[in-house]
Amino acid sequence: MKHPKEITLTEEQVDTLRSTIQILELDASLKIILTGLLDNHIWLQHELHEKNISMYRLKSYFGIKSEKHAKDSRNDKEAPSSEDESDDGADSGGTVELKPSDTNKYSEKTASSSNKKKGHGRYSADDYTGAQVVTRTLDALTQGGPCPDTACDGRVYKKSVPGVVLRITGGSMIEATRYNLERYRCNLCLATYTASLPDDVSIKDKYDAKAKAVVVINRIQLGVPMYRQAVYQKKLGLPLAESTQWGVTKIVDRISRPVFDHLVKTAAQGSLFYIDDTWVKILAIIKTNKEATSKKDKKGMHTTGLISHVNGRRIILYFTGTAHAGQNLNKVLKNSKKGLKIPIQMSDALACNNSEDLCVKTIDCHCTTHGRRKFVEIKHYYPSICNSVLDAISELYKNDSYTKEKHMTDYERLLYHKEYSSPIMDNLKNFMLEQIASNTVEPNSSLGKAFNYWLKRWDSMTRYLTVAGAPLDNNCIEQGLKKAILFRKNCLFHKTESSARVSSRLMSVINTALEAGANPIEYLVALIEHEELAVSYTHLTLPTSYLV
């Protein structure tokens, strides 16, 4: 059978055909058949359209994941042909009139005055803050002394800026030193006399503080599997067994545990929380789930990322186990003191993250980026509407960038968004409501679902218009979870829940140190060398206090 020509019908054409069928002098049963065929064609057209969108989403998971949106580029090479576009009336008839840029007189100024990120060039010597500094002097010269050139009668003076030469040397993850101690034995009393070790070398601990810190950083932060590291070290002639690496990791976890517990208590006093989850594999829980007889007995496995803003500093915490983000936030908030200002909670729109289940009342905020993504996924099928919505959201982010550029306070930022962002969002909301109310957009279509996603959560997704300090999105914790995702991609799984908790605690301490601007290796070395201080005066050994 020859492939028939594809026919796409608009709503007006469908209504005309229905009216024509009823007018024609045909048998009633034949009219029912023709009307059914027409309805079936419309239904099939809609289903194929939705399937195309689903396939496009699936392809995007395995391809380029960029969600960038440029106003001046409306034609995408990957966009489907016009025959594939929906004709439910939602995207036929040219460009939708949504012009949020007219509401903000600072939009052009912000776009032109924003500082573009500089290109990647060579690092200067000052960027190597961890380099060992060796000072070479000219002993033959003195300040105000005669010039070494015999033909010159001048005087030499020391320059304030020295000459700099940088030399990079290689090395293994760990280095080992073997001490051969000379020994003598008396042939009469059989007493043995052995040469002593240097004063800075202890016989009690085989691995010094820096070796332990490097092992932990390599495993937890860089996500290098212990087996892979063990094979590599053996080939270098510096064996480091997996069991040894895990033993060292547990020692550092025991030393840093008071710091982690104090970080949790400090984070509970925060004014703003970002939370999100990513999946993880824990073999012990997987085994338990397989043995479970009902779905209720099976448990999910999550790594939760949590960022807390406390007095201008950010604390990053990770929790791995069967609890999801909302439950882990609840555990943290149990340490909060009474009388504090109601904190802001930024998360995605999952029901398990609702503040209703928390022990402390919070102000819900939902991520604008998640809502924006709903339109990015379908913009090739509804180009004019989606591009107009994305343009409006772009203006919103320009406004927020302007507030950051001008270093506005939370209250000044709120007033700015009320004046310039509120008209943008009001226009957007009215447009969505109008499209659905006039049946221009099918509520069950992908575009209708994107509209309803926003409209159902409008208050929480526009909290920055009513609450000072409310963020636009959850991007910072999404970026923070990349550390856990890197660990998962390299190491694949945790064996037990206990080992998962060890990794999460150390990841929290390391990333909070990085956020505070500290060198994580130097911080862990200081923590290991002052173990007693970490227990007795934990507040002095926090990553946020290390540089101070």
Side-chain angles (χ1 to χ4, degrees), residues 78-93:
E78 296 183 6
S81 63
S82 59
E83 294 180 355
D84 295 332
E85 291 187 6
S86 171
D87 276 306
D88 57 1
D91 205 67
S92 57

PDB file of all heavy atoms in Angstrom, residues 78-93:
ATOM      1  N   GLU A  78      17.601  21.143  14.743  1.00  0.00           N
ATOM      2  CA  GLU A  78      16.975  19.914  15.200  1.00  0.00           C
ATOM      3  C   GLU A  78      15.461  20.044  15.304  1.00  0.00           C
ATOM      4  O   GLU A  78      14.783  19.124  15.699  1.00  0.00           O
ATOM      5  CB  GLU A  78      17.540  19.506  16.568  1.00  0.00           C
ATOM      6  CG  GLU A  78      19.023  19.185  16.513  1.00  0.00           C
ATOM      7  CD  GLU A  78      19.515  18.717  17.854  1.00  0.00           C
ATOM      8  OE1 GLU A  78      18.678  18.553  18.763  1.00  0.00           O
ATOM      9  OE2 GLU A  78      20.726  18.516  18.000  1.00  0.00           O
ATOM     10  N   ALA A  79      14.943  21.212  14.991  1.00  0.00           N
ATOM     11  CA  ALA A  79      13.505  21.411  15.120  1.00  0.00           C
ATOM     12  C   ALA A  79      12.776  20.594  14.067  1.00  0.00           C
ATOM     13  O   ALA A  79      13.237  20.446  12.941  1.00  0.00           O
ATOM     14  CB  ALA A  79      13.171  22.887  14.955  1.00  0.00           C
ATOM     15  N   PRO A  80      11.612  20.046  14.415  1.00  0.00           N
ATOM     16  CA  PRO A  80      10.851  19.260  13.460  1.00  0.00           C
ATOM     17  C   PRO A  80      10.255  20.145  12.387  1.00  0.00           C
ATOM     18  O   PRO A  80      10.174  21.353  12.525  1.00  0.00           O
ATOM     19  CB  PRO A  80       9.765  18.621  14.332  1.00  0.00           C
ATOM     20  CG  PRO A  80       9.604  19.556  15.463  1.00  0.00           C
ATOM     21  CD  PRO A  80      10.954  20.137  15.720  1.00  0.00           C
ATOM     22  N   SER A  81       9.837  19.517  11.306  1.00  0.00           N
ATOM     23  CA  SER A  81       9.222  20.265  10.220  1.00  0.00           C
ATOM     24  C   SER A  81       7.867  20.793  10.633  1.00  0.00           C
ATOM     25  O   SER A  81       7.288  20.364  11.629  1.00  0.00           O
ATOM     26  CB  SER A  81       9.072  19.359   8.996  1.00  0.00           C
ATOM     27  OG  SER A  81       8.201  18.284   9.300  1.00  0.00           O
ATOM     28  N   SER A  82       7.340  21.736   9.814  1.00  0.00           N
ATOM     29  CA  SER A  82       6.062  22.352  10.147  1.00  0.00           C
ATOM     30  C   SER A  82       4.935  21.347  10.152  1.00  0.00           C
ATOM     31  O   SER A  82       3.905  21.545  10.784  1.00  0.00           O
ATOM     32  CB  SER A  82       5.768  23.476   9.151  1.00  0.00           C
ATOM     33  OG  SER A  82       5.731  22.958   7.827  1.00  0.00           O
ATOM     34  N   GLU A  83       5.107  20.223   9.417  1.00  0.00           N
ATOM     35  CA  GLU A  83       4.050  19.208   9.377  1.00  0.00           C
ATOM     36  C   GLU A  83       3.900  18.514  10.714  1.00  0.00           C
ATOM     37  O   GLU A  83       2.846  17.978  11.035  1.00  0.00           O
ATOM     38  CB  GLU A  83       4.368  18.175   8.296  1.00  0.00           C
ATOM     39  CG  GLU A  83       4.331  18.748   6.898  1.00  0.00           C
ATOM     40  CD  GLU A  83       4.649  17.701   5.842  1.00  0.00           C
ATOM     41  OE1 GLU A  83       4.991  16.573   6.230  1.00  0.00           O
ATOM     42  OE2 GLU A  83       4.549  18.021   4.659  1.00  0.00           O
ATOM     43  N   ASP A  84       4.986  18.512  11.534  1.00  0.00           N
ATOM     44  CA  ASP A  84       4.930  17.847  12.836  1.00  0.00           C
ATOM     45  C   ASP A  84       4.386  18.730  13.920  1.00  0.00           C
ATOM     46  O   ASP A  84       4.119  18.275  15.021  1.00  0.00           O
ATOM     47  CB  ASP A  84       6.347  17.383  13.245  1.00  0.00           C
ATOM     48  CG  ASP A  84       6.849  16.325  12.299  1.00  0.00           C
ATOM     49  OD1 ASP A  84       6.008  15.609  11.737  1.00  0.00           O
ATOM     50  OD2 ASP A  84       8.081  16.229  12.114  1.00  0.00           O
ATOM     51  N   GLU A  85       4.248  20.049  13.649  1.00  0.00           N
ATOM     52  CA  GLU A  85       3.810  20.955  14.697  1.00  0.00           C
ATOM     53  C   GLU A  85       2.342  20.756  14.994  1.00  0.00           C
ATOM     54  O   GLU A  85       1.543  20.411  14.142  1.00  0.00           O
ATOM     55  CB  GLU A  85       4.058  22.406  14.273  1.00  0.00           C
ATOM     56  CG  GLU A  85       5.540  22.749  14.211  1.00  0.00           C
ATOM     57  CD  GLU A  85       5.755  24.219  13.966  1.00  0.00           C
ATOM     58  OE1 GLU A  85       4.756  24.955  13.970  1.00  0.00           O
ATOM     59  OE2 GLU A  85       6.909  24.618  13.761  1.00  0.00           O
ATOM     60  N   SER A  86       1.985  21.013  16.265  1.00  0.00           N
ATOM     61  CA  SER A  86       0.604  20.824  16.687  1.00  0.00           C
ATOM     62  C   SER A  86      -0.282  21.892  16.099  1.00  0.00           C
ATOM     63  O   SER A  86       0.090  23.034  15.971  1.00  0.00           O
ATOM     64  CB  SER A  86       0.525  20.888  18.212  1.00  0.00           C
ATOM     65  OG  SER A  86      -0.809  20.912  18.615  1.00  0.00           O
ATOM     66  N   ASP A  87      -1.504  21.499  15.753  1.00  0.00           N
ATOM     67  CA  ASP A  87      -2.469  22.449  15.248  1.00  0.00           C
ATOM     68  C   ASP A  87      -3.703  22.454  16.109  1.00  0.00           C
ATOM     69  O   ASP A  87      -4.824  22.451  15.628  1.00  0.00           O
ATOM     70  CB  ASP A  87      -2.846  22.108  13.801  1.00  0.00           C
ATOM     71  CG  ASP A  87      -1.862  22.672  12.801  1.00  0.00           C
ATOM     72  OD1 ASP A  87      -1.617  23.876  12.856  1.00  0.00           O
ATOM     73  OD2 ASP A  87      -1.340  21.891  11.990  1.00  0.00           O
ATOM     74  N   ASP A  88      -3.492  22.432  17.444  1.00  0.00           N
ATOM     75  CA  ASP A  88      -4.634  22.550  18.329  1.00  0.00           C
ATOM     76  C   ASP A  88      -4.962  24.023  18.569  1.00  0.00           C
ATOM     77  O   ASP A  88      -5.724  24.374  19.442  1.00  0.00           O
ATOM     78  CB  ASP A  88      -4.364  21.843  19.668  1.00  0.00           C
ATOM     79  CG  ASP A  88      -3.127  22.383  20.353  1.00  0.00           C
ATOM     80  OD1 ASP A  88      -2.508  23.313  19.790  1.00  0.00           O
ATOM     81  OD2 ASP A  88      -2.785  21.881  21.437  1.00  0.00           O
ATOM     82  N   GLY A  89      -4.307  24.896  17.759  1.00  0.00           N
ATOM     83  CA  GLY A  89      -4.571  26.322  17.875  1.00  0.00           C
ATOM     84  C   GLY A  89      -3.602  27.029  18.778  1.00  0.00           C
ATOM     85  O   GLY A  89      -3.601  28.245  18.880  1.00  0.00           O
ATOM     86  N   ALA A  90      -2.744  26.267  19.461  1.00  0.00           N
ATOM     87  CA  ALA A  90      -1.863  26.874  20.453  1.00  0.00           C
ATOM     88  C   ALA A  90      -0.706  27.605  19.818  1.00  0.00           C
ATOM     89  O   ALA A  90      -0.162  28.518  20.394  1.00  0.00           O
ATOM     90  CB  ALA A  90      -1.343  25.804  21.394  1.00  0.00           C
ATOM     91  N   ASP A  91      -0.305  27.211  18.614  1.00  0.00           N
ATOM     92  CA  ASP A  91       0.897  27.811  18.052  1.00  0.00           C
ATOM     93  C   ASP A  91       0.724  28.135  16.581  1.00  0.00           C
ATOM     94  O   ASP A  91       1.638  28.019  15.795  1.00  0.00           O
ATOM     95  CB  ASP A  91       2.084  26.868  18.251  1.00  0.00           C
ATOM     96  CG  ASP A  91       3.383  27.626  18.256  1.00  0.00           C
ATOM     97  OD1 ASP A  91       3.586  28.393  19.206  1.00  0.00           O
ATOM     98  OD2 ASP A  91       4.173  27.471  17.319  1.00  0.00           O
ATOM     99  N   SER A  92      -0.435  28.489  16.183  1.00  0.00           N
ATOM    100  CA  SER A  92      -0.663  28.878  14.804  1.00  0.00           C
ATOM    101  C   SER A  92      -1.089  30.333  14.771  1.00  0.00           C
ATOM    102  O   SER A  92      -1.982  30.737  15.467  1.00  0.00           O
ATOM    103  CB  SER A  92      -1.757  28.002  14.194  1.00  0.00           C
ATOM    104  OG  SER A  92      -2.946  28.097  14.950  1.00  0.00           O
ATOM    105  N   GLY A  93      -0.433  31.100  13.985  1.00  0.00           N
ATOM    106  CA  GLY A  93      -0.838  32.491  13.891  1.00  0.00           C
ATOM    107  C   GLY A  93       0.244  33.465  14.237  1.00  0.00           C
ATOM    108  O   GLY A  93      -0.021  34.536  14.747  1.00  0.00           O
TER     109      GLY A  93
END
